[in-house]
Amino acid sequence: MSQTALDDLLGALTAKGLAREIPTREEMSALLSSHDDGILDVVAAASRIRRRFFGMRVKLNYLVNMKSGLCPEDCSYCSQRLGSNAEILKYSWISAEEAAGNAERAIAAGAKRVCLVASGRGPGERNIDRVASTISAIKDAAPDVEVCACLGLLNTGQADRLRAAGADAYNHNLNTSAENYADICSTHTFSDRVRTVGEAKTAGLSPCSGAIFGMGESDDDIIEVALALRELDPDSVPINFLIPFEGTPLGGRWDLTPARCLRILALFRFVFPDVEVRMAGGREIHLRGMQTLGLHLANSLFLGDYLTSEGRPGDEDRAMIADAGFVIEGAGEQTLPEHRHDLVSVRRRGAGSDTPANT
């Protein structure tokens, strides 16, 4: 692609992003296939959109792995999968007190959202109770913190119970395109994941759903999963880069380059101009010294460690954020721009409830 063609493409993408319009497939494909020598132009263009809707704020999130390993699902990318030989920590449910203690330290370090994660196909009723107790313990100590649950596939009514327990959001990633999904998992389907995000939305939980890249997907797969996520209209979109654990089917895949990761982040900023885009797992090992450029595209990242791998010390990330001229978003600040806050609210009073109607 010539410099003139790249300039024209980025001009069109920026104008659409600022107007909250979705790029065409052709524009997305051209962006992903652009040359590395134009990566600073790509970052600069997408950064205009990031600044327009999120300023220079960076939201910090923290993961609490409440149950690690021993999962019956066979997701090829996951170190906790059925048959994994990865030498990870494996344990059953930690106590609500231990989870809340981890959350409390993260909140003190600047985390605005705590993500409670458990391996497995989906939660049993007893596990919903466990998570509810943990949410209560966290909220008792820090009422303003956002709590996101990530427990796998949900059955009917479970999202309502999590919402009633005080959960603010639910994460369930689509991970890759519908066409590619069967190549990375055989124990559940892409449609199962879409349904679970729908269950969370219907219950009034803020939907969080993203993808994983570096699994051998094509540019078309990246575009397809971006469009599928756009259809779900999540409030936050985590962008993960494969952590290739030895002992998993994808343990030998090191396909990503820093420039490739930045183009993917830029694509998602163009597709989701006013949505929280999060640099998630794998940013340290794939973006490496270019993580600062990633901040000009994503307005959110994870603080500290991930589910089964270690992240950077929090001091290093906070220093990176400050050195790049960004500021950590405070608990009292609104992440999404005002127009993203829906005027439609699920009825929870009046007929069929114990709360008087709004009359």
Side-chain angles (χ1 to χ4, degrees):
M1 183 186 297
S2 69
Q3 185 62 48
T4 299
L6 180 62
D7 290 343
D8 289 344
L9 171 66
L10 295 176
L13 287 170
T14 301
K16 286 185 174 182
L18 293 173
R20 307 201 307 273
E21 297 174 1
I22 191 167
T24 65
R25 290 175 182 269
E26 292 75 20
E27 288 167 337
M28 288 187 265
S29 179
L31 177 68
L32 289 173
S33 61
S34 61
H35 294 300
D36 288 357
D37 57 8
I39 194 61
L40 289 180
D41 296 318
V42 171
V43 172
S47 177
R48 287 189 59 194
I49 299 166
R50 186 247 196 266
R51 294 195 308 275
R52 166 65 178 81
F53 294 109
F54 298 97
M56 298 296 284
R57 307 189 310 277
V58 178
K59 180 178 178 179
L60 298 183
N61 309 263
Y62 181 75
L63 288 168
V64 178
N65 194 354
M66 297 188 65
K67 175 179 174 289
S68 182
L70 311 173
C71 184
E73 305 299 289
D74 68 356
C75 306
S76 298
Y77 54 83
C78 185
S79 59
Q80 304 181 78
R81 73 187 297 271
L82 178 69
S84 171
N85 294 316
E87 296 181 357
I88 62 170
L89 287 171
K90 297 177 182 178
Y91 51 84
S92 189
W93 290 86
I94 63 174
S95 68
E97 292 73 24
E98 182 178 353
N102 279 275
E104 185 176 355
R105 289 188 288 276
I107 294 164
K112 184 176 178 177
R113 172 174 288 192
V114 174
C115 306
L116 303 177
V117 188
S119 63
R121 181 177 178 84
E125 295 309 302
R126 183 181 177 191
N127 299 331
I128 294 288
D129 291 337
R130 284 190 172 108
V131 175
S133 296
T134 303
I135 294 170
S136 295
I138 292 171
K139 292 275 192 176
D140 285 347
D144 294 333
V145 73
E146 298 174 9
V147 176
C148 178
C150 178
L151 311 172
L153 302 173
L154 293 175
N155 294 323
T156 301
Q158 289 184 323
D160 292 290
R161 291 183 60 192
L162 290 169
R163 180 68 175 134
D168 301 285
Y170 195 83
N171 166 260
H172 200 60
N173 295 329
L174 297 189
N175 290 328
T176 191
S177 69
E179 182 177 351
N180 193 44
Y181 201 84
D183 292 336
I184 66 166
C185 181
S186 70
T187 49
H188 60 266
T189 67
F190 184 86
S191 296
D192 291 331
R193 288 185 169 267
V194 170
R195 181 192 58 77
T196 285
V197 177
E199 291 276 351
K201 288 184 68 173
T202 300
L205 293 168
S206 175
C208 173
S209 189
I212 303 173
F213 301 104
M215 302 187 291
E217 67 282 337
S218 66
D219 285 359
D220 284 342
D221 288 320
I222 297 174
I223 293 168
E224 287 296 332
V225 73
L227 291 172
L229 285 165
R230 171 84 183 208
E231 186 71 20
L232 290 176
D233 193 27
D235 292 330
S236 53
V237 181
I239 303 300
N240 296 277
F241 302 112
L242 177 70
I243 301 175
F245 278 95
E246 293 185 12
T248 66
L250 298 180
R253 296 214 75 120
W254 290 87
D255 303 340
L256 295 170
T257 64
R260 174 73 165 170
C261 294
L262 289 172
R263 280 194 293 273
I264 291 170
L265 283 168
L267 172 72
F268 275 79
R269 177 50 70 203
F270 287 125
V271 175
F272 295 95
D274 56 350
V275 171
E276 178 185 341
V277 174
R278 185 180 309 145
M279 278 199 293
R283 65 179 168 90
E284 298 89 347
I285 63 176
H286 291 296
L287 279 166
R288 300 188 288 280
M290 297 177 78
Q291 288 183 76
T292 300
L293 289 180
L295 287 175
H296 288 274
L297 305 170
N299 62 296
S300 177
L301 54 79
F302 278 111
L303 176 72
D305 298 329
Y306 300 101
L307 295 178
T308 59
S309 65
E310 293 185 351
R312 297 203 307 178
D315 286 344
E316 292 183 17
D317 278 339
R318 286 188 291 271
M320 175 182 72
I321 291 167
D323 289 347
F326 293 90
V327 295
I328 294 172
E329 187 174 290
E333 295 178 89
Q334 182 173 292
T335 300
L336 297 178
E338 189 62 45
H339 63 261
R340 283 286 307 178
H341 288 256
D342 293 335
L343 297 177
V344 177
S345 179
V346 176
R347 180 175 67 83
R348 301 191 180 281
R349 59 194 173 203
S353 76
D354 296 326
T355 305
N358 183 27
T359 56

